[in-house]
């Protein structure tokens, strides 16, 4: 994507309203390229296209540049509405150097060939130019429309007749058409111009308009809008499927051309927020012959078979806490941006020798936000405040508590080494440095760092939509009337609170009766609304285990018998493209399985990294013997530096979860724990889901 310009050379420092370009492949954009003048830009485009051509790539080159004029213009100049021949006409008449060009004079010469006054207007030079009015309202009777049909279809577009001024495109069109003509000649045989030619070549040129997605451009972290625009549109078009791009290009060819993507903003937004591929139906299938699955084997299987299932969004940094970063965040400038003072004091050129140092003070001071603009001569000092830029001639600061000031002279005792109490530019972060990598769950501290690096917006993963469902005729909602044969549903509110605390978008799917048809309808609803469904109950192979029975009919069902206590059965499957985790019905088993298995799995599906809880080795305040063959998780908490366990190991004792602050994990081999032995303690807080 190329944002062209009709102005002169803009200098070495990247600026707005210049030429910017960006290359992207499959939705991933390289850094935007600043091109200071048209000559360098044309060379860069030719070199880039030559390289991509040699690599066998198909290339779409989009220019924010009108490819044609309103109907009738070309006929008056060359005798036909042959737009591509008109390009050659301009190429033969435009003169261009980095510091000057003839666009205003040529526009006057063109106007002279039309009746009345116009159509071009706006003279950007001090001298008058024959036939070129300075104001648009001075034009009359030239006989041409103000805009093309394509311009009318794009809200906010400008007429190609206005040569300069805020938002004007006329000058860049005159200076761009010769470059387009030379590209056609340079890549003859392998280049086509859409929509005047069928887009069936290796290289296709197309006109686009970079202001269609204003809200996304405004949210982009790059400080220069032109750079954001080429990056955003390069990502969007390169990420479109061939079918989606074909739909955009399926328009009849007219001499006026068309703007690629005009009126199709939703298609561009969809390309910028792609939906990841669904999980495969066999993602939960364990190797044949496995009857009892060790915990580590089950975790390894999930880690290797799951992937992110969420799209992306661009949001302001201030709203990003708790969200998962989808693209690496790059510092937009150094932090600090300039050398500055770490303290209130007096700055000078160090070092200061041992003994008394007396330095005359220059008039003025340097404060944060109000730096001293002059130079501090060697042997003199200046008043400086914390965070203020070090003026030229200053590299060392002495604390104000260590000095005396009298009659314009500051005195203090040395020695003081050079650079004392001063911060270097970029000592925290350098411009262009990756400060956070994708997959990180953004913390409040991260928000501060991103803001300090000048990053106004970040690309994050959409919140994972987690549906929570309970099954069983015996369940009643808390607060309802229940008989002795019924129980209150603890799992659904407990699991919903767990996943809400993790930062997911929790969707309460309700409780399903022991009715297969009703459960099927509820799963259909959940699959349409959620990225993943967490169900409890019905996860085994009994008569009323309808969840397992329904998942078995999908061809994706896997019933894992985990070698662990509590929480033996896990029913897993994919329902209409949505993964389903079927947890045990007992509350303790449901919670433990959610922490051990759903916690890391959901992190991956949300776009973050696989994570396991931190294990702290602490002395046991209990004794226990366990058999070989399964892993055990005991509800526990820390008292006086030792780990004590809940009085009962029963998986129905939900009060033990409230009493506990974590779990003791006892590994698979047989073992005997004595008081004082070190045991692994997994704090609930370490499950940073």
């Amino acid at each position: 994507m190329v944002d062209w310009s009709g102005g002169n050379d803009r200098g070495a420092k990247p600026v707005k309203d210049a030429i910017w370009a960006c290359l992207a492949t499959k939705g991933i954009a390289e850094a935007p390229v600043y091109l200071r003048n048209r000559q360098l830009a044309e060379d860069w485009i030719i070199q880039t296209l030559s390289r991509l051509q040699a690599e066998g790539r198909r290339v779409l080159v989009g220019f924010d540049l009108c490819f044609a004029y309103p109907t009738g213009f070309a006929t008056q100049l060359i005798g036909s509405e042959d737009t591509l021949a008109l390009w050659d006409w301009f190429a033969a008449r435009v003169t261009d150097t980095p510091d000057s060009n003839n666009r205003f004079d040529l526009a006057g010469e063109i106007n002279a060939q039309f009746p009345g006054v116009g159509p071009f207007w706006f003279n950007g030079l001090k001298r008058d130019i024959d036939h070129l009015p300075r104001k648009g309202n001075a034009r009359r009777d030239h006989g041409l429309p103000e805009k093309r049909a394509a311009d009318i279809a794009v809200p906010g577009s400008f007429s190609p007749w206005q040569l300069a001024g805020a938002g004007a495109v006329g000058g860049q069109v005159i200076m761009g058409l010769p470059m387009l003509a030379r590209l056609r000649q340079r890549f003859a045989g392998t280049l086509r111009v859409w929509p005047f030619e069928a887009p069936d070549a290796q290289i296709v040129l197309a006109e686009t308009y970079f202001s269609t997605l204003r809200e996304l451009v405004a949210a982009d972290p790059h400080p220069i809008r032109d750079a954001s625009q080429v990056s955003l549109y390069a990502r969007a078009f390169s990420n479109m499927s061939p079918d989606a791009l074909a739909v955009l290009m399926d328009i009849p060819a007219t001499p006026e051309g068309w703007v690629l993507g005009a009126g199709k903003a939703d298609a561009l937004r969809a390309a910028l927020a792609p939906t990841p591929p669904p999980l495969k139906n066999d993602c939960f299938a364990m190797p044949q012959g496995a009857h009892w699955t060790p915990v580590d084997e089950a975790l390894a299987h999930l880690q290797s078979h799951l992937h992110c299932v969420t799209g992306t969004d661009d949001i302001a940094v201030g709203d990003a806490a708790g969200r998962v970063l989808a693209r690496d965040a790059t510092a937009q400038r150094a932090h600090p941006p300039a050398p500055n003072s770490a303290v209130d004091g007096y700055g000078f050129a160090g070092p200061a020798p041992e003994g008394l140092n007396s330095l005359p003070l220059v008039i003025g001071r340097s404060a944060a936000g109000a730096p001293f603009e002059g130079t501090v001569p060697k042997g003199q000092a200046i008043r400086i405040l914390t965070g203020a830029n070090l003026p030229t001639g200053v590299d060392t600061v002495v604390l104000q508590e260590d000095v005396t000031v009298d009659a314009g002279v500051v005195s203090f005792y040395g020695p003081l080494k050079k650079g004392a109490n001063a911060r270097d530019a970029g000592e925290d972060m350098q411009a262009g440095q990756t400060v956070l990598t994708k997959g990180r769950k953004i913390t409040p501290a991260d928000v501060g760092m991103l803001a300090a690096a000048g990053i106004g917006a970040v690309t994050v993963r959409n919140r994972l939509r987690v549906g929570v469902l309970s099954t069983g005729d015996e369940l009643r909602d808390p607060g309802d009337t229940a008989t002795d044969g019924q129980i209150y549903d603890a799992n659904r509110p407990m699991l919903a609170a767990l996943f809400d605390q993790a930062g997911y978008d929790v969707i309460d799917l309700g409780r399903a009766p022991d009715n297969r048809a009703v459960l099927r309808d509820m799963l259909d609803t959940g699959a349409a609304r959620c990225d993943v469904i967490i169900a409890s109950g019905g996860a085994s192979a009994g008569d009323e285990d309808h969840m397992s029975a329904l998942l078995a009919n999908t061809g994706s069902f896997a019933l894992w018998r985990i070698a662990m206590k509590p929480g033996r059965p896990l029913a897993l499957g994919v329902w209409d493209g949505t993964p389903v985790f079927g947890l045990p019905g007992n509350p303790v088993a449901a919670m433990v399985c959610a922490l051990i298995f759903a916690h890391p799995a959901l992190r991956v599906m949300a776009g973050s990294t696989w994570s396991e809880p931190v294990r702290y080795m602490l002395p046991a305040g209990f004794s226990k013997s366990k058999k070989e063959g399964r892993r055990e998780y005991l509800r526990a908490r820390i008292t006086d530096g030792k780990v004590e366990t809940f009085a009962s190991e029963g998986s129905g004792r939900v009060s033990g979860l409230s009493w506990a602050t974590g779990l003791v994990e006892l590994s698979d081999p047989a073992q005997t724990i004595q008081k004082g032995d070190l045991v692994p303690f997994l704090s609930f807080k370490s499950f940073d889901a």
Side-chain angles (χ1 to χ4, degrees), residues 561-595:
R561 293 177 174 86
I562 308 296
M564 66 180 290
K565 177 186 177 182
R568 199 167 51 187
L570 278 181
L572 302 107
V574 179
W575 186 270
D576 197 16
T578 300
V580 179
F581 284 72
L583 306 181
N586 284 325
V588 176
M591 175 63 95
V592 170
C593 286
L595 292 172

Side-chain angles (χ1 to χ4, degrees), residues 440-499:
R440 180 178 176 89
K441 188 175 180 181
I442 299 173
T443 68
D446 292 338
V447 170
M449 180 180 66
L450 293 169
I455 300 172
V458 287
T459 302
V460 298
R461 288 287 170 186
N462 294 329
R463 293 188 188 277
L464 187 72
R465 298 170 301 170
V466 180
V468 179
L469 172 69
S470 290
T471 65
D473 279 341
E474 73 280 10
L475 298 179
R476 290 295 178 268
D477 287 336
D480 288 353
T481 301
T483 67
D484 290 344
Q486 298 168 330
I487 59 174
Y488 290 116
D489 183 5
N491 287 354
R492 201 167 91 246
M494 176 181 68
L495 295 173
L498 177 69
F499 299 130

Side-chain angles (χ1 to χ4, degrees), residues 247-504:
V247 170
L248 294 188
M249 290 184 160
D250 186 18
I251 65 165
T254 69
E256 286 190 338
W258 194 254
V259 176
L260 184 62
K264 302 293 184 180
D266 288 344
L268 295 174
R269 291 188 183 94
L272 288 167
T275 301
L279 294 177
K280 296 180 179 179
N281 263 8
D282 62 354
C283 66
F284 296 122
M286 279 287 194
Q288 292 296 317
H291 181 64
W292 290 102
T293 304
V295 171
D296 288 339
E297 184 177 331
L299 291 173
H301 185 92
L302 290 174
Q303 185 176 4
S304 62
H305 286 75
L306 298 179
H307 59 71
C308 176
V309 298
T310 56
T312 63
D313 192 12
D314 294 312
I315 65 173
V317 161
D319 299 327
R323 302 293 292 272
V324 175
L325 196 61
R327 294 175 61 197
D328 291 352
T330 303
Q332 297 303 297
R333 70 170 188 174
H335 183 261
N340 66 79
S341 177
V343 298
D344 290 342
Y346 295 84
F348 58 94
E354 187 173 358
L356 182 63
N357 294 266
S358 296
L359 302 174
L361 290 171
V362 301
I363 297 175
R365 71 171 191 171
S366 187
F372 181 75
E373 299 296 344
T375 298
V376 178
K378 189 171 180 61
Q380 298 187 37
I382 187 172
R383 175 64 168 154
I384 191 167
L385 304 181
T386 302
N389 288 358
L390 299 182
T392 302
V394 172
D395 56 25
T396 305
V397 180
V398 59
L399 277 72
Q400 68 179 22
E401 294 88 348
D402 295 337
V403 308
T404 58
V405 178
D406 184 38
V409 175
V410 59
S411 300
F412 59 93
Y413 284 96
L416 196 64
K417 65 180 181 180
K418 181 179 179 179
N421 302 311
R423 306 185 184 107
D424 293 332
E427 69 176 22
D428 186 17
M429 293 174 281
Q430 296 286 341
Q433 174 186 342
T434 298
V435 294
L436 287 180
T437 56
K438 66 179 181 180
R440 180 178 176 89
K441 188 175 180 181
I442 299 173
T443 68
D446 292 338
V447 170
M449 180 180 66
L450 293 169
I455 300 172
V458 287
T459 302
V460 298
R461 288 287 170 186
N462 294 329
R463 293 188 188 277
L464 187 72
R465 298 170 301 170
V466 180
V468 179
L469 172 69
S470 290
T471 65
D473 279 341
E474 73 280 10
L475 298 179
R476 290 295 178 268
D477 287 336
D480 288 353
T481 301
T483 67
D484 290 344
Q486 298 168 330
I487 59 174
Y488 290 116
D489 183 5
N491 287 354
R492 201 167 91 246
M494 176 181 68
L495 295 173
L498 177 69
F499 299 130
D500 178 74
Q501 182 177 284
Y504 303 136

Side-chain angles (χ1 to χ4, degrees), residues 29 84 94 132 192 249 264 342 386 438 452 495 515 534 580 611:
L84 301 182
V94 169
L132 183 62
R192 300 284 187 272
M249 290 184 160
K264 302 293 184 180
T386 302
K438 66 179 181 180
L495 295 173
N515 182 303
I534 307 293
V580 179
S611 175

Side-chain angles (χ1 to χ4, degrees), residues 178-198:
M179 174 270 302
L180 296 177
R182 289 189 290 271
L183 289 181
R184 287 190 72 227
Q185 181 179 2
R186 172 65 175 75
F187 296 97
T190 60
L191 182 148
R192 300 284 187 272
V193 181
W194 176 87
F196 310 106
E197 300 172 313

Side-chain angles (χ1 to χ4, degrees), residues 70-73 76 114-119 139-146 161:
T71 301
F73 178 77
Q76 185 70 16
F114 287 82
V117 180
R139 297 174 300 154
R140 62 182 183 277
D141 304 326
H142 53 73
L144 293 177
E146 189 65 15
W161 307 129

